Amino acid sequence: MDVNNRMKIAFFVDTFPKLSETFVLNQITGLLQRGHEVKVFSRESGEEGMLHPEIKEYGLFDKTVYYGDDFVETPKGKVSRVFQAFMIFSRKGAKSRKALLKSMSFLRFGKSALSLTVFYSILPFLDKRLEDYDVVHCHFGPVGAMAALLKETGVLSGRLVTTIHGYDITSYVKGKGRGVYDHLFKVGDLFMPISERWSKELLRLGCPEEKILVHHMGVDLDKFTFIPRGTSDDQAINILTIARLVEKKGVEYGVRAVAKALSSYPDIHYTIIGDGPLRDTIQKLISDLKVEDMVELVGWKSQDEIVVPMREVDILLAPSVTSVDGDQEGIPVVLMEALAQGLPVLSTLHSGIPELIQVGESGYLVPERDGVALSDKLLMLLSERNRWRDMGMAGRECIEKEFNLHNLNNSLVDIYKKLDA
């Protein structure tokens, strides 16, 4: 690449690397492949010992700055908060002092300035020697809001782009209030919701329409080979779920649906790949339903390890639900990976999933938390073995057209460049 066309891009995330957020990794490596410079800023490091091979291949730890340990706890008392701020201010150099003074501007930040919230928020970054970037790309709204403070105080420079995924525009907004992103909407240059559903939600929250551009997450089709399903007369049927074991993944509904289907299809084997706070609950449900021999919890696996079982199963089951606190999915990448490999998918009418699954063509969707509908559609899908091949072909075609990672990363570069046009 011509050095004049090379961009300097900073990625801001909450946790890196994170096994369940391959979409961040895929964008970073895609930009590196295209010759651009990338630096990652993360509050904390992710899972140790369970890393995608690209982390080592691209030397991403050497390109990552962790700032979480540098957070200074904000004193609760007003006097102690002000005194500590004064002491910190007195020890900083001229450039840092300038940023800290801006953080106390009521005209810029309102009450957040008077309470010194912005002051303490930007402290972890003052000694990081942040460079001038062409683009600062944040994943998830709260991270974008933090980066907006850094940009407003002069700590960070570059066009500010924020990708909106799911919880950040559902449960987070529900908990913090509709105005939580008002400052980010003002300072940010571009917002890239991963679905049309979230595009509409951004508009509802007050984001300027001209700043919104839907940009899907995608999958690397070179890693996922299309395999026709339903071609064998073998009666054994393998069903797979890949998910964090949290409420919004709805795994309990999948277990119950499979347990009911076993009375008609006793040769089903259901594998659940994933881990999380509900693991013991799900394991107990499996035991209570007496389906331990047919339903297996195997823990979490890396992206490369997941490819193998996907090749060997017949159906992907993803019964996502809206959690009690309002948390929702985006468009789960695992569904894209399944469709890319020719798997028929059974999921729910949840978030942006209907924008991916073509009902009756590549899979079926049922209402959230409707165990009867999920079970009925599973039985229907199990009876349609002769359609699985065509469903798989429809799914693969959809991914090739709309969710091809290489095309999306090329588009991402074009989007970045147009920000300065």
Side-chain angles (χ1 to χ4, degrees):
M1 169 181 284
D2 185 338
V3 68
N4 294 321
N5 293 320
R6 182 182 298 135
M7 289 184 289
K8 294 176 66 175
I9 303 155
F11 270 79
F12 275 71
V13 296
D14 188 67
T15 305
F16 185 82
K18 191 171 183 179
L19 284 170
S20 60
E21 295 181 1
T22 55
F23 45 83
V24 176
L25 179 63
N26 288 340
Q27 283 188 343
I28 291 170
T29 57
L31 291 167
L32 289 171
Q33 289 165 4
R34 287 158 177 78
H36 301 290
E37 295 181 37
V38 177
K39 193 81 171 180
V40 182
F41 294 86
S42 177
R43 181 177 60 85
E44 63 180 11
S45 179
E47 299 88 342
E48 295 293 334
M50 290 287 287
L51 300 175
H52 298 298
E54 289 87 350
I55 301 296
K56 183 176 180 180
E57 180 183 349
Y58 289 88
L60 294 186
F61 279 126
D62 293 333
K63 294 178 172 64
T64 302
V65 174
Y66 294 101
Y67 57 83
D69 291 341
D70 295 320
F71 271 113
V72 177
E73 186 174 353
T74 306
K76 293 181 180 179
K78 184 176 181 179
V79 174
S80 57
R81 189 185 316 145
V82 172
F83 178 75
Q84 179 170 282
F86 174 78
M87 296 301 294
I88 292 172
F89 182 86
S90 66
R91 294 194 296 265
K92 294 296 182 182
K95 185 176 181 180
S96 294
R97 286 185 181 183
K98 185 177 180 180
L100 292 172
L101 284 173
K102 288 182 178 180
S103 78
M104 294 182 278
S105 169
F106 179 79
L107 292 177
R108 276 194 176 96
F109 305 112
K111 293 181 180 180
S112 294
L114 298 181
S115 66
L116 297 177
T117 299
V118 182
F119 181 101
Y120 283 98
S121 295
I122 70 172
L123 280 177
F125 302 92
L126 295 182
D127 298 321
K128 297 300 183 204
R129 297 181 181 177
L130 298 184
E131 303 174 59
D132 294 330
Y133 293 97
D134 296 298
V135 176
V136 177
H137 192 152
C138 305
H139 277 273
F140 297 96
V143 178
M146 177 191 68
L149 298 180
L150 297 176
K151 184 173 181 178
E152 274 283 83
T153 53
V155 176
L156 186 66
S157 66
R159 295 291 190 175
L160 181 55
V161 176
T162 304
T163 294
I164 301 295
H165 289 275
Y167 95 89
D168 48 350
I169 203 166
T170 53
S171 58
Y172 186 79
V173 173
K174 183 179 179 181
K176 299 292 185 178
R178 286 174 52 85
V180 68
Y181 293 135
D182 285 353
H183 181 256
L184 175 58
F185 291 158
K186 178 184 176 182
V187 177
D189 295 288
L190 182 65
F191 297 84
M192 297 201 301
I194 55 85
S195 68
E196 294 292 343
R197 168 77 180 272
W198 296 148
S199 175
K200 294 175 182 177
E201 189 64 17
L202 280 172
L203 282 172
R204 192 178 73 84
L205 291 175
C207 183
E209 185 174 5
E210 65 273 14
K211 290 187 176 184
I212 301 173
L213 178 65
V214 175
H215 185 79
H216 295 305
M217 296 298 99
V219 295
D220 184 351
L221 288 171
D222 293 337
K223 294 183 178 180
F224 300 98
T225 304
F226 175 79
I227 300 174
R229 315 292 163 147
T231 58
S232 172
D233 293 331
D234 187 347
Q235 293 302 304
I237 297 173
N238 294 297
I239 301 174
L240 178 66
T241 287
I242 302 173
R244 289 177 58 230
L245 301 183
V246 294
E247 183 187 1
K248 70 177 177 180
K249 297 297 184 178
V251 176
E252 67 168 287
Y253 295 97
V255 173
R256 293 184 187 279
V258 169
K260 185 174 181 181
L262 281 166
S263 60
S264 300
Y265 293 88
D267 290 329
I268 290 176
H269 185 263
Y270 181 35
T271 302
I272 302 168
I273 295 177
D275 209 340
L278 293 182
R279 177 164 186 156
D280 291 344
T281 301
I282 299 299
Q283 189 62 65
K284 184 177 184 302
L285 176 62
I286 293 169
S287 299
D288 290 346
L289 294 173
K290 297 179 170 54
V291 292
E292 300 100 315
D293 292 340
M294 290 73 76
V295 180
E296 184 180 13
L297 262 176
V298 298
W300 199 250
K301 296 184 180 295
S302 70
Q303 188 176 33
D304 283 0
E305 291 174 317
I306 288 171
V307 171
V308 175
M310 271 196 181
R311 292 173 182 159
E312 300 172 349
V313 301
D314 303 295
I315 295 167
L316 187 91
L317 182 56
S320 301
V321 303
T322 302
S323 64
V324 172
D325 65 0
D327 191 8
Q328 292 186 29
E329 302 261 31
I331 303 178
V333 174
V334 69
L335 297 186
M336 304 174 197
E337 295 172 347
L339 295 177
Q341 295 182 83
L343 278 172
V345 170
L346 176 56
S347 190
T348 54
L349 295 163
H350 172 88
S351 185
I353 292 175
E355 298 174 34
L356 174 67
I357 305 300
Q358 303 156 294
V359 176
E361 295 183 29
S362 60
Y364 292 110
L365 302 176
V366 302
E368 294 181 29
R369 300 184 187 275
D370 191 334
V372 174
L374 187 67
S375 179
D376 289 347
K377 271 292 188 281
L378 177 58
L379 287 169
M380 184 171 132
L381 189 55
L382 291 171
S383 70
E384 296 180 330
R385 184 186 288 261
N386 62 321
R387 294 195 60 229
W388 292 355
R389 181 189 178 95
D390 289 342
M391 294 177 81
M393 291 176 66
R396 175 76 183 196
E397 184 178 358
C398 172
I399 300 302
E400 289 175 348
K401 288 182 177 180
E402 303 293 336
F403 299 90
N404 184 323
L405 180 64
H406 294 300
N407 294 342
L408 288 166
N409 280 338
N410 286 336
S411 175
L412 184 63
V413 172
D414 291 338
I415 291 167
Y416 288 164
K417 289 180 177 178
K418 287 177 182 177
L419 287 173
D420 283 321

